[in-house]
Structure formats: C-alpha cells, structure tokens
Amino acid sequence: MILLKESDVRTVLSMPDLIAAMESALSAYSSGEVRQPLRTVLEVGTSAFFGVMPAFIPGSGALAAKLVTVFPTNADAGLPTHLATIVLLDASTGELLGVMDGRYITEARTAAVSAVSTKLLAPAGAGVLGIIGSGVQARSHLDALSHVRRLREVRVWSPTAAHREAFAREMQPVSAAPIRPVDSAREAAAGADLLVLATSSREPVVESGWVADGAHVCAVGACRPDQREMDTGLVCRARVFVDSRIGALAEAGDIVIPIREGAFDPGGIAGELGELIAGRAIGRTSPSDVTVFKSLGMAVEDTAAAHLAYARATERGLGRGICL
C-alpha cells in the first residue's frame, strides 16, 4: 500500500479534473449505481464531530471510506477545523491499497461540486461573485467557480476584517477578477449573480431580500440539522437542488428547519445535481429564478477523488510504500 501526503494529493488532482470526476460521480449516485449509506456522525464533547463515510462505485471499482473530524476549537490552536483521512481498498479482495490525506480532497471536491452546480444552474453571463466566509472553502470556491464562469468582480465578507482583507490580498494574485473586501454580508450579496456561503455560522448569514433575482447560491457551510446559513424566505423562494435528497432531509438544517417550521415541503426539492446531469430534473425555468445548491458532501465524491489520486500517484511513482 502507499501513503499519500497532502502535497502528493495536491500534485495529482487539478481542479478541472476534479470537476469532471465529480460530475461523473454525481451522475452515478443519482442513477442508483453507487452503494453509499448515510454517513455515521459521532458527537465528541459538546461541539466536535467524527464522521465515517464509506462508498463503493461499481462502475469504476472504487471502494473507500473517509474518516473526517470537525473540531471548531482547532482554530484557536492554529490547526484546520476540518481534518480527514481516506482509506482506499481493492474492490475485488478488500486489500488496503492506500491511505491518503483527505483534508485537501474534502476542500477541493466540495468546491468542484459547487462548480458543477454553477455550470448547470447559474446564468451563462454570471460574473459577479459574492463570498460570505474567508476560510479554505471560500478560497477553493473562488478557484473552482472561475473554471466554469468568467468572473468580473469578487466581493468577500467575513466577521473579522483582518480575515477578509487577508483573503483579498492573498487571493488577488491568482484571480483574474478584482477582489474587494466589503463591510457586510448584505453588501457582498447585493446584486451578485453568484453567491457562496462558506461559514461556520449556526444562524442565517444571508436573507432572501438581499439576493437578486436570477442569482445562483452555493450553500456549503452548514452540515448539521441544527445549523443553517440561509433564512427560510430564501429557501422557499428558490429552486433548491441538493447532492442527495436522503442526506439533505436528514442533515441539512437549511432545509430541515424550514420543513419543521411548516414553511417548506420536502417535495419542494427540485432535484439532485446528478438528476440534472442526466436530464431527469429541470434546472432554471426562467431568467429570474433564484437557484440554490445546498451542499452536504457525499462519500461518493471522496471515493471518486481518492480513486483518481491513487491512479495518478501510482502512474507517477508518488507516495511512500508501507508494509503492514
């Protein structure tokens, strides 16, 4: 078996390749070709989580599981709040093929899936991007969305001024569009035709009234049933798409809470991204539609990315061989 460090994974996985791999994985999932249970989440203390996410993709023979932790207090120690390890297995024997860092895969595949949603749902001329949040997901989303839309302007807001200013300063050299830190979430959202919500907030960070007609929203930050980034009005106003209906109805507070309030019906989910890819769901019905992609992240995405990373790494002789 081989061990792949984050630097190895970064070397072999480009964003365009990940976008293509995620499109294929999402289609396979929504076509019923993937075996994937709902992830198991174990609470650790009062604010941390440990998740186990296995998946099998028969078409490619990819079999893997991600072990992921979310420890919000890591930020105080200068550590990533989200950490992950992926184990890749031989689907014919169960033999361990590789162990690899999953932190970067989680970061990059999440943004790649949002890019797929943007490709399918955002207006063709969308180019004004508002980002609420300034962490790793905000950075990876700027990269990913620039591959599917020509960005003309980027606005970023997060609660700490130094963080949003650092985002603009550090990301400007890799962005073709000017990046401007702004003073409020409302200013980031106003008039934007693309909006990324990538925060750790447990309460809404954007209100429906701030979001322009025709905008596309990628909501990626809230991953538990008691967390949300969008207010109920925005969810009810939009055509809502998800990566997995089963996952969204169990884990996505942005959807679960409006259902609990009696404001949103589960049947109001317009489709899974994989259904859109396969032509089994309808995307926009008019230029004024607000579309929302509520992302939770799925094991099939990690498995597809890990399978690709392993194949590329072995071709190039990367990674360290280990005997157990």
Side-chain angles (χ1 to χ4, degrees):
M1 59 155 283
I2 62 171
L3 174 68
L4 297 177
K5 300 180 297 183
E6 180 175 325
S7 58
D8 298 321
V9 176
R10 284 180 178 271
T11 297
V12 296
L13 290 182
S14 71
M15 186 57 73
D17 284 347
L18 271 176
I19 292 171
M22 294 305 99
E23 195 162 353
S24 176
L26 291 162
S27 178
Y29 173 80
S30 293
S31 298
E33 300 169 14
V34 173
R35 298 175 192 173
Q36 173 190 286
L38 189 65
R39 62 183 153 206
T40 299
V41 178
L42 176 70
E43 294 187 9
V44 182
T46 58
S47 63
F49 300 95
F50 168 51
V52 181
M53 302 170 61
F56 174 43
I57 311 173
S60 64
L63 175 64
K66 182 171 79 172
L67 310 178
V68 58
T69 58
V70 181
F71 277 63
T73 56
N74 279 6
D76 299 332
L79 296 171
T81 56
H82 293 61
L83 295 168
T85 300
I86 299 175
V87 293
L88 186 71
L89 307 173
D90 186 316
S92 60
T93 65
E95 180 185 10
L96 181 62
L97 296 177
V99 176
M100 67 188 73
D101 172 80
R103 195 211 62 78
Y104 174 70
I105 284 179
T106 302
E107 169 191 329
R109 62 80 159 149
T110 301
V113 172
S114 289
V116 173
S117 82
T118 301
K119 176 181 172 183
L120 296 170
L121 293 167
V128 179
L129 170 62
I131 304 176
I132 299 178
S134 57
V136 294
Q137 282 300 335
R139 292 165 187 254
S140 63
H141 274 73
L142 175 56
D143 176 23
L145 268 56
S146 68
H147 287 282
V148 294
R149 289 294 185 271
R150 181 171 294 180
L151 301 180
R152 303 184 302 275
E153 177 187 354
V154 180
R155 310 169 194 153
V156 61
W157 178 82
S158 65
T160 303
H163 292 172
R164 56 187 185 255
E165 290 164 3
F167 177 96
R169 181 176 62 253
E170 294 165 11
M171 295 303 292
Q172 189 60 79
V174 297
S175 172
I179 303 173
R180 179 166 58 94
V182 296
D183 295 330
S184 68
R186 184 170 189 163
E187 188 177 355
D193 37 33
L194 296 171
L195 186 60
V196 170
L197 311 180
T199 76
S200 58
S201 175
R202 301 178 71 88
E203 301 296 335
V205 295
V206 66
E207 298 178 11
S208 179
W210 304 349
V211 179
D213 286 346
H216 176 60
V217 181
C218 299
V220 305
C223 61
R224 301 299 299 146
D226 60 347
Q227 301 172 347
R228 63 195 307 200
E229 294 183 292
M230 298 177 284
D231 70 357
T232 295
L234 178 55
V235 174
C236 293
R237 171 188 173 197
R239 288 184 59 76
V240 177
F241 295 83
V242 297
D243 40 21
S244 161
R245 278 189 179 85
I246 293 172
L249 293 174
E251 297 182 315
D254 281 302
I255 294 174
V256 170
I257 294 171
I259 291 173
R260 190 184 308 139
E261 294 171 344
F264 186 78
D265 187 276
I269 295 175
E272 295 176 344
L273 287 189
E275 294 171 337
L276 272 176
I277 295 165
R280 297 196 304 274
I282 298 172
R284 288 184 168 270
T285 61
S286 80
S288 64
D289 281 344
V290 172
T291 53
V292 163
F293 168 54
K294 176 55 204 170
S295 172
L296 282 172
M298 297 194 294
V300 65
E301 299 160 7
D302 300 304
T303 295
H307 185 71
L308 179 61
Y310 175 82
R312 295 277 176 82
T314 52
E315 287 170 3
R316 297 166 65 168
L318 295 176
R320 186 176 71 181
I322 297 176
C323 294
L324 297 180

